[in-house]
Each structure stands twice: as C-alpha cells, then as structure tokens.
Amino acid sequence: MQKKSFYLTTPIFYPNAKLHMGHAYTTTLSDCIVRYHREVLSDKTYFLTGSDENTQKMVDAARKAGQEPLVFLDDIVANFAKLFGNLDISYDQFIRTTDQKKHWPGAQLLWKKLVEAGDIYKKEYEGLYCVGHEAFVTEKDLVDGKCPDHGTEPILLKEENYFFRLSKYTGEIKKRIESDELKIVPVSRKSEILALLEEGLQDVSFSRPRRADWPQGLGVPVPGDDSQVMYVWCDALANYITALGYGRDDALYEEFWPADVHVIGKDILRFHAAIWPGMLLSAGVPLPQSLLVHGFITSGGKKMSKSLGNVIDPEELLAEYDTDAVRYFLLRHVSPFEDGDITREAFKDAYNANLANGLGNLASRIMQLAQTHLEKGAEPETPEAFPAEYADAFKSFEVHHAADLVWSRIQSLDQKITETAPFKLVKTDAEAGKKIIFELTQELHMIALMLAPFMPETSKKIVAAVKENKKPENLFARKD
Ligand code: ME8
C-alpha cells in the first residue's frame, strides 16, 4: 500500500539570541506529532525546522557581541542544533534563509510569480518600524510610545519599497479559512483571524533598501533590483517551500507540498493566516492544509523575563533531567491551545508522581515479576490498531489528551496488580499467576508503543525489556 505522506513545519527561529522554553515547546510539540505519524501510523513524513536569518535584529545582536553577522549566525545556529539534539527532535532538514543554494532560488521564483500576477508595485512609504517584530506598526499598537512586546520605541522609516497587493486576496483567504480548506486550530484562533479579515487586509511592504551595514550574503536580493532586499517575512515564509526544492529540484516538493500542518505560536498567526495564503494564491501554489496555533509558555503566571528572575532555560533543565522527562512535561502538562505555565516545582512534582513513581515504578515491578516467573522470549504482540480515542486526540492535535490516555492506562495497570496480586498468586496457582504476569507485560508493551511519540527513548527501553524479558535499567534516574 502506498504510504501516506505527512509534512510538518515549525516556525523558523530568529537567531539573535539563544532559544528559550517557548521555542523548545513549539519544536517538541511538532516532534511529537511527526513521530505519531511516522512511528504509529507508518506515514512517510517530512519534518522541517530552521532559522530566520535576514534580519536587522540579528545584525544588531552580532555587532553588540563584537562579531561579524555571518560568523555570529553560525555560532547561534550550532546552538540551536545542540538544543534540538538534546530534546531528541527528529527533523529531516534545518533550513537557513542565508542559504543561497537551498533558499534563495525558491524565494526569488516566488517573488517573480507575484510580479507576473501583477501583485507587486513600488511605493514611497513612511511608517513606524518595530525591529523586535520586524514589522511596521501603528500608533495604536504602542503603549507610551513603545512596543509593549519589546519595550522599545519603533523607528521612523521613510523608504521606497515594493508592495504586495494583499488586499486583493482578502475575500479568497476568508473563503478558504471559513470552509476549513485552510483549517485553523483551535477554533478561537480561526475566529480571531476571520475578524481581522472582516476589516479587510491592507497591502504590505515587501522589500527594504539594502542597508550599507549588511554584509553580502545577508538579505535575499529582489529579482531585477539589487538595491532592494526582500522584506524578511516575505523571504521567511517562503522557507516552507524552498526547503522542499521549490525553484530548484522539485522531487521533495512534489511529494510533500502542500504541508499538512504549520505549527506556530499565537504571535505569528496573522503572517501565516493572511500574508502566506495571499502569497500562495497570487503565485498559484496550493495552500497548506492546516495551522496549529499554540499558546505561550509562562512561568508562575508571568511572561518569563530576566528581571522577574523566572526564566527556565531549557538547557539547564536538560542538564538536570532526562530528555524524555522534559518532553513529557511539555507535552502532557501544557495544552497546545492555551497559555501554559511551567515552574520548577510543578516540574519536580510531575516528575516524581508520574515518571519516577508512576511509569518507572510500574515498568520495573512488572518486568521484575516477568523476569522471575516467565520463561524467556514471550514475544510482545504488536497491535493492529491503536485505541480510537488516542488516534482522535492526535487528529485534533490534542496531544496532552493522548498522553492522559496513556497515564490512565498506567493507573489501571497499577490497580490490576493490586487487585490480582500476581506475586502471591504464583505461589498458590503458578499457571494462573503466570497468565496474569504475561498479560501485564502485554499491556505494558502497549503503553510503551503509545508513548513513542512522547518519550522515544523510554518507549524503546520498555519495548526492549518486554522482548528480552528482563527488568529495564533505571528509567528515571536524576542526573547529579
Ligand atoms: O517569529 N511560548 O521567530 P521567533 C511558546 N522568525 N512559544 C513561544 C514563546 C513562548 N513564550 N515565544 C516564542 C519568529 N515561541 C519568526 C518566524 S516563520 C516563517 C518565521 C515560539 O524566534 C512560537 O512558536 O520569534 C512562536 O511563534 C515562535 O517561537 C517565534 O519564534
């Protein structure tokens, strides 16, 4: 049978600073969904992540660090890869928007398609530009003259730019979103964008004059006008197709586009649900099928910030706890649809209750019994289908519910041990006791398979323990 293809993307991250817990969240959530498709459904998957490099804020950060921007970028991007490695993120490609071979040809081809459609025009523009957002803002976006998200004053820019005729596509975008051809999950985010579309979209500035302090190699040149580089969002959004070979080598593109899902945070909904579909409609490229829009991670109910001292650095957490423990917390204790709070206390409590004393304890109790009482080689059964509720939860991106289902099985299995007391039963009725122990191993095996998208290493260790009929190594040992 032809395998189904499944293509998922994360946002491409700004490499002006280290990644934080929010970025770790987006990427881990994405990885869990991809692993479900790859490992549970056996779909043919493609998983893209990357970095959004052609930005003023990166140049500013590099200068502040006393480094050349392109060298600075390489260092930061190496750190991204390290964090993703530590989180066991199974991406197929990391696209960088300074990649002149992989990214630029497709970004420029897309631009040319917009020109051919008559949707690019030149205009003098004056406006307030927030470097943090890499976007023009209006007076009403400001609080006391400052951007409330970044705490900085926007700069006044007067430039001659190319504009994209986004206004032309308001009606069509609205139709596609209303009908769920471009499905926006959760529905509250769909309503939010439909309200914006109701007001009508405005044309967007799509290029900037090349700045004198930008080195060669930064900023995608506008085709036919080297004095201008593409506006960063125009170039960044294109990554979702350029990485697949749009404009250079179409094999992956043919196989995987349109994307099944773009995973994004709530802060970048407008770009993905208005500008991106507008660009694709203009270029005659099919739209992605869905956007999964997640909330923000807070700590102790507040945005993480250095001044509040509530920042939880993912690398620090990973130095203390196993990768799978961090993944577990992000995936089960944060809802993808709302803001989610992380504190060290909540993390520690969940770790002790659900991992060390929950899953870890259950697996070692069962396998201790199996090792003592069963003959070797009781092959675990591989299920033909996973529970419908589990599949439904993934289908609607409710990964935290899928994880809850696993933990309710863990609880039932604990209860079954208490009720059947197989460790006593084997002494009075060996056959009956062994039968129950065997059932326990089969159910534990199912739990391990269901855990694969969440905790890949733990899942493998339990599957191996059941196969080899022996107690697994320490599953949740704290690192010291
Ligand atoms: O916006 N909680 O990049 P970025 C949860 N380059 N997720 C968070 C978060 C938080 N507190 N903070 C950030 C950009 N994120 C653009 C994207 S895509 C073509 C270009 C996550 O480095 C969330 O997914 O600012 C958000 O959308 C993304 O990081 C933004 O990362």
Side-chain angles (χ1 to χ4, degrees), residues 98-114:
T98 50
D99 191 323
Q100 299 190 27
K101 282 209 188 86
K102 289 198 179 130
H103 180 63
W104 291 21
Q108 289 178 324
L109 177 64
L110 191 59
W111 179 281
K112 286 183 199 152
K113 298 275 179 195
L114 308 189

Side-chain angles (χ1 to χ4, degrees), residues 111 114 118-129 133-138 141 159-170 173 196 200-208 222 228-235 237 270-280 282:
W111 179 281
L114 308 189
D119 290 336
I120 295 285
Y121 62 94
K122 221 170 186 183
K123 190 175 113 176
E124 170 117 322
Y125 188 75
E126 187 175 57
L128 295 168
Y129 192 83
H133 275 113
E134 295 289 0
F136 282 102
V137 292
T138 60
D141 296 323
E159 298 176 341
E160 193 172 58
N161 295 340
Y162 291 100
F163 270 68
F164 171 54
R165 218 179 289 282
L166 180 61
S167 56
K168 178 172 154 189
Y169 295 99
T170 304
I173 296 170
L196 191 88
L201 297 172
Q202 294 192 349
D203 292 354
V204 269
S205 160
F206 244 34
S207 74
R208 311 277 316 276
V222 165
Q228 297 258 332
V229 295
M230 286 183 197
Y231 168 49
V232 59
W233 273 99
C234 160
D235 131 45
L237 289 161
R270 198 162 50 92
F271 298 97
H272 285 79
I275 300 182
W276 181 225
M279 290 166 73
L280 295 172
S282 168

Side-chain angles (χ1 to χ4, degrees), residues 11-14 20 22-23 26 52 233 236-237 239-240 264-265 267-268 272 294-297:
I12 50 171
F13 303 105
Y14 287 132
H20 57 62
H23 303 120
T26 306
D52 187 355
W233 273 99
L237 289 161
N239 93 87
Y240 300 133
I264 57 169
D267 54 331
I268 55 176
H272 285 79
H294 66 74
F296 262 27
I297 302 282

Side-chain angles (χ1 to χ4, degrees), residues 102-272:
K102 289 198 179 130
H103 180 63
W104 291 21
Q108 289 178 324
L109 177 64
L110 191 59
W111 179 281
K112 286 183 199 152
K113 298 275 179 195
L114 308 189
V115 172
E116 278 166 28
D119 290 336
I120 295 285
Y121 62 94
K122 221 170 186 183
K123 190 175 113 176
E124 170 117 322
Y125 188 75
E126 187 175 57
L128 295 168
Y129 192 83
C130 169
V131 175
H133 275 113
E134 295 289 0
F136 282 102
V137 292
T138 60
E139 290 284 356
K140 74 173 196 268
D141 296 323
L142 307 176
V143 177
D144 297 333
K146 288 183 177 170
C147 164
D149 290 342
H150 298 98
T152 50
E153 281 178 23
I155 45 178
L156 186 67
L157 282 184
K158 186 173 179 186
E159 298 176 341
E160 193 172 58
N161 295 340
Y162 291 100
F163 270 68
F164 171 54
R165 218 179 289 282
L166 180 61
S167 56
K168 178 172 154 189
Y169 295 99
T170 304
E172 188 59 26
I173 296 170
K174 196 164 157 237
K175 207 175 101 200
R176 304 285 182 112
I177 293 177
E178 264 166 354
S179 67
D180 283 345
E181 273 172 87
L182 168 56
K183 188 171 174 163
I184 300 185
V185 181
V187 81
S188 56
R189 299 290 169 204
K190 174 178 172 177
S191 312
E192 181 184 325
I193 200 74
L194 285 173
L196 191 88
L197 286 161
E198 204 53 55
E199 289 172 20
L201 297 172
Q202 294 192 349
D203 292 354
V204 269
S205 160
F206 244 34
S207 74
R208 311 277 316 276
R210 168 176 285 290
R211 287 178 53 132
D213 65 341
W214 279 32
Q216 279 302 321
L218 196 66
V220 186
V222 165
D225 185 350
D226 270 353
S227 71
Q228 297 258 332
V229 295
M230 286 183 197
Y231 168 49
V232 59
W233 273 99
C234 160
D235 131 45
L237 289 161
N239 93 87
Y240 300 133
I241 55 176
T242 64
L244 292 182
Y246 176 78
R248 59 186 163 92
D249 168 10
D250 284 348
L252 277 177
Y253 176 73
E254 294 293 332
E255 188 172 2
F256 289 104
W257 190 259
D260 292 78
V261 50
H262 293 316
V263 176
I264 57 169
K266 63 181 183 182
D267 54 331
I268 55 176
L269 173 63
R270 198 162 50 92
F271 298 97
H272 285 79

